[in-house]
Amino acid sequence: MNQSEWKDRDIEDLIKKLPQIKDDRTSHYIHARMERRKKKAQTSFKRFIPAVAALAAIFIMVLLAPTVLNQLTDNNSMEKSGSGAEPGSSENKGEIASLQKESALPPQSSKEEKIAATEADPKGNSKRTMSEDLKESPKRLSLYEEDLKGKEFYSFGLVSPEAVPVPVTIVEEQGQEDWLTRHEQIGEKLPETDWGLEDYLPLNGDVSLAKNKIIFTLDPDHSYSGSSAVEYAFYHSLQYSFQHKGLEEVVLKNHDGSVPQFSSTGEFSSVDLNEDTHSAYYLYSPNGTDRFLVPDNINRGGIKESIQAMKSAETGLFQSVIPKDINFNVTEADEVVTISFLNELDLTSLDEQIAQEMIEGILLTSRSSGFASARFENIKQEGWNGFDFTEPIETPISPNKKSLVN
């Protein structure tokens, strides 16, 4: 027994002295090696396929060769003994004349030929394209006074899943309905979710017009109270929906005529529709695809402070519409705000969408401070996308112009 135990301990000691086996390879290394082996096997298999296909093609050609030769022989013999028409016969002459007539006709220009002509004469094509572009309407993001010839506009305050109020403007031909009736009709069919927004409208309440005020009577079971974010979105939804129509305020009440009470706001009696909010506009994308210009609803006190605030967004939800390397000065004179870029700004050096959002964002911010027009200085282009930079540009009436597809 003692000798056996000693031998066991001896064996254990010997085993402990053996070198340890380690695998220093990482899991990424092993996985990459397996992938290389797999790709190598697939490559070998792919190389094998063309060889098999070539052998099969040769085998088929060998089988079909006698049949093809027989058909060629039969066709030659039929041509020699067919119509018997000689080269100088009247039938051949008619065919030759017909072919010559067709070749004399000018060929129809195909898409490929147009492309070739464009490459051969790029200057001529660019002139044609420029003239066509001048005929197209500007791709404006906002509503301007010139857009309202024989048309009516309707503003709406929509809300995103992040409780961000988003102003949207619809323009259509003037109809027979009164403005407020048509406003409610459009609000019921706005494709809010298609734009990455909540299904928020129509609001839970009755709307009526009394002189220069909107009277909004809340439903008893409304869902606009409960948190500051929900109440903030509701307030600005009403504000955005009835701004720009010369109205003073939205008056809120319950069905019994009392003033509504909200858990965070408290007594909520009215919404001010004052145009001069001194807000800065930013870019907001609720779904990463649709893009909106929205105000931050912070009263900056003046136009200089508002435009300077546009350089950086105070919340991660918004993005600045002004690229970081673009700097400017802001001055006020004769009821016109002037934005003068420190370095000459070439709008074509920017992405067209970014340039458009920057120009219109500045114009909307100017409008929020009560300016009917704004002047831009030190821009390389005298005119761009319908804007004439040689004179003051009128500020937009309302942002985010949309169309409804009937």
Side-chain angles (χ1 to χ4, degrees):
M1 282 297 286
N2 293 334
Q3 186 176 3
S4 176
E5 291 179 1
W6 180 86
K7 288 183 178 179
D8 291 339
R9 288 196 302 270
D10 192 31
I11 292 171
E12 289 177 1
D13 293 336
L14 290 173
I15 291 173
K16 290 179 181 179
K17 293 179 180 179
L18 290 174
Q20 294 182 357
I21 299 175
K22 293 183 180 180
D23 191 351
D24 295 327
R25 297 175 300 173
T26 64
S27 59
H28 297 289
Y29 172 81
I30 296 171
H31 179 71
R33 187 170 183 181
M34 292 174 65
E35 288 294 324
R36 286 197 298 270
R37 288 183 178 178
K38 184 178 178 181
K39 290 180 181 179
K40 186 175 182 181
Q42 290 176 349
T43 304
S44 300
F45 180 72
K46 289 179 181 178
R47 290 176 180 175
F48 179 70
I49 291 174
V52 174
L55 291 173
I58 294 171
F59 181 71
I60 293 170
M61 290 176 62
V62 172
L63 292 176
L64 295 179
T67 306
V68 174
L69 289 173
N70 291 333
Q71 288 180 351
L72 290 173
T73 304
D74 293 341
N75 290 337
N76 289 334
S77 60
M78 288 175 67
E79 288 176 359
K80 290 179 180 179
S81 60
S83 59
E86 296 179 359
S89 64
S90 60
E91 293 180 1
N92 283 342
K93 289 179 180 179
E95 292 176 358
I96 293 170
S98 177
L99 290 171
Q100 289 176 343
K101 185 178 180 181
E102 291 178 359
S103 63
L105 292 173
Q108 294 182 353
S109 59
S110 63
K111 183 178 180 181
E112 291 79 7
E113 289 170 342
K114 289 179 180 179
I115 294 173
T118 300
E119 294 176 350
D121 186 14
K123 292 184 179 179
N125 184 68
S126 64
K127 290 179 182 178
R128 180 187 62 80
T129 305
M130 285 175 64
S131 63
E132 289 179 357
D133 288 343
L134 289 173
K135 296 177 183 178
E136 295 180 0
S137 59
K139 299 174 184 177
R140 303 274 180 88
L141 306 174
S142 307
L143 173 69
Y144 294 81
E145 192 68 37
E146 62 189 52
D147 300 325
L148 295 179
K149 297 176 181 178
K151 296 183 180 181
E152 184 61 271
F153 76 95
Y154 306 88
S155 300
F156 298 91
L158 309 185
V159 178
S160 76
E162 298 164 312
V164 175
V166 178
V168 168
T169 308
I170 303 297
V171 182
E172 66 173 22
E173 300 292 334
Q174 290 181 340
Q176 300 298 323
E177 302 94 342
D178 66 88
W179 171 79
L180 190 56
T181 299
R182 186 56 184 156
H183 185 276
E184 292 186 276
Q185 291 174 350
I186 295 174
E188 293 177 355
K189 59 181 181 180
L190 290 176
E192 299 166 81
T193 55
D194 293 345
W195 297 335
L197 305 171
E198 288 283 285
D199 188 7
Y200 196 76
L201 299 183
L203 294 173
N204 298 328
D206 299 323
V207 182
S208 60
L209 183 62
K211 294 184 179 180
N212 58 349
K213 298 179 181 180
I214 291 290
I215 309 300
F216 186 79
T217 306
L218 278 163
D219 290 344
D221 58 346
H222 71 82
S223 58
Y224 306 126
S225 177
S227 71
S228 58
V230 170
E231 293 169 19
Y232 171 85
F234 174 61
Y235 178 95
H236 290 289
S237 176
L238 288 172
Q239 186 182 52
Y240 295 166
S241 294
F242 301 108
Q243 274 184 327
H244 319 305
K245 287 293 183 179
L247 300 170
E248 290 182 1
E249 62 180 351
V250 178
V251 177
L252 285 84
K253 67 177 184 177
N254 295 318
H255 280 278
D256 61 2
S258 62
V259 176
Q261 296 286 330
F262 289 77
S263 60
S264 296
T265 310
E267 194 174 78
F268 192 173
S269 60
S270 64
V271 177
D272 184 19
L273 299 179
N274 178 27
E275 296 280 345
D276 299 343
T277 58
H278 302 290
S279 296
Y281 272 76
Y282 298 92
L283 175 66
Y284 175 60
S285 179
N287 55 4
T289 302
D290 294 276
R291 300 161 72 92
F292 300 92
L293 293 173
V294 299
D296 61 356
N297 296 312
I298 299 175
N299 192 323
R300 305 287 178 175
I303 184 61
K304 292 182 180 180
E305 295 81 2
S306 297
I307 294 182
Q308 289 296 336
M310 295 177 65
K311 289 281 288 182
S312 59
E314 295 182 0
T315 170
L317 296 174
F318 297 159
Q319 301 175 43
S320 173
V321 296
I322 302 175
K324 292 182 179 180
D325 58 342
I326 293 179
N327 297 298
F328 47 79
N329 287 324
V330 181
T331 55
E332 306 172 57
D334 301 327
E335 298 182 352
V336 176
V337 58
T338 300
I339 298 90
S340 179
F341 294 97
L342 300 185
N343 297 311
E344 186 182 58
L345 175 62
D346 183 359
L347 291 173
T348 61
S349 67
L350 301 174
D351 178 85
E352 184 177 1
Q353 187 176 36
I354 292 174
Q356 189 75 32
E357 290 168 347
M358 178 182 67
I359 295 297
E360 295 204 45
I362 293 174
L363 290 173
L364 286 164
T365 299
S366 301
R367 177 68 179 235
S368 76
S369 288
F371 288 90
S373 59
R375 183 189 299 275
F376 292 88
E377 292 183 347
N378 205 18
I379 293 181
K380 183 177 182 179
Q381 291 75 24
E382 292 186 352
W384 179 82
N385 200 15
F387 292 119
D388 183 2
F389 295 119
T390 62
E391 58 185 26
I393 298 172
E394 68 165 343
T395 55
I397 298 173
S398 185
N400 304 314
K401 183 173 62 176
K402 294 281 187 180
S403 299
L404 287 181
V405 180
N406 297 325

